[in-house]
Amino acid sequence: TLVVLAGDHGEAFGEHGTTQHTKTLYEELLHVPLFIRGFQVKARRIDTRVGLVDVGATILDVFGVPVPAGYLGESLAPMLRGAPQKLTHPVLAEGRLRRAIYAGDVKVIEDLRRKLVEAYDLRADPKELVNLFDAEDPRALAALATLRAFFDAHELKRPGYTQPYKP
């Protein structure tokens, strides 16, 4: 038996001038709980940033089912068993023509509709108030390049298709 409990999104209570959910990619909406409990899962807190995309691969791995080739998620089973693990994929988020990437302590948010880029050092600025992109921080520029390369390689491309926007 494996029990997985996760939040799908957070909630904004006035941070960044927003309320409710699914309108931004700031931490108040992205940082959600993830609890996994089961056989050979050590009870402990893991501070490594992961994505919900990793849950499927983790479940398959725990039950000995191979993760399909090309699957974007990565199994967290080694972490659950108490082993050190460094994830090999970027942690990303997207929604409402916005997308974000975490690169170490730096998070970059690109708003494709408003043509706006924001970057924050989450260790020094956990409330995301000081935009590093305005100062042309090299960490932000590198993360933005990685974000764009990832979505260029993985986004749906089909003649006549445009990504829908939900206000």
Side-chain angles (χ1 to χ4, degrees):
T1 301
L2 188 69
V3 177
V4 178
L5 175 67
D8 65 338
H9 58 73
E11 198 73 23
F13 294 100
E15 305 91 343
H16 301 97
T18 63
T19 58
Q20 301 178 355
H21 59 270
T22 70
K23 291 187 173 46
T24 72
L25 295 179
Y26 296 115
E27 287 302 281
E28 59 266 18
L29 295 178
L30 296 184
H31 190 185
V32 297
L34 173 61
F35 298 94
I36 302 176
R37 187 74 174 130
F39 180 68
Q40 294 185 343
V41 175
K42 295 181 79 167
R44 63 193 192 100
R45 178 187 173 116
I46 298 171
D47 291 320
T48 302
R49 185 174 283 113
V50 300
L52 293 177
V53 69
D54 300 318
V55 172
T58 302
I59 292 169
L60 291 172
D61 188 17
V62 165
F63 289 102
V65 178
V67 177
Y71 188 79
L72 295 178
E74 189 169 338
S75 175
L76 307 175
M79 272 189 239
L80 300 178
R81 294 182 184 114
Q85 179 181 5
K86 183 173 170 134
L87 298 178
T88 60
H89 67 74
V91 177
L92 302 144
E94 69 172 322
R96 296 178 183 246
L97 295 180
R98 294 175 184 97
R99 51 199 191 180
I101 188 169
Y102 293 88
D105 291 328
V106 172
K107 180 170 95 179
V108 171
I109 303 169
E110 183 174 34
D111 186 322
L112 299 171
R113 189 172 148 266
R114 297 185 303 154
K115 309 288 189 242
L116 177 70
V117 177
E118 300 170 81
Y120 302 97
D121 183 331
L122 296 177
R123 182 174 303 235
D125 179 22
K127 295 187 183 220
E128 298 168 295
L129 300 174
V130 179
N131 186 352
L132 299 175
F133 200 76
D134 294 339
E136 297 184 13
D137 186 300
R139 298 172 300 165
L141 297 172
L144 178 61
T146 302
L147 174 73
R148 287 177 173 169
F150 178 88
F151 279 96
D152 185 52
H154 295 285
E155 68 187 355
L156 178 63
K157 294 175 184 148
R158 184 179 298 154
Y161 174 80
T162 57
Q163 187 177 7
Y165 172 71
K166 179 181 171 188

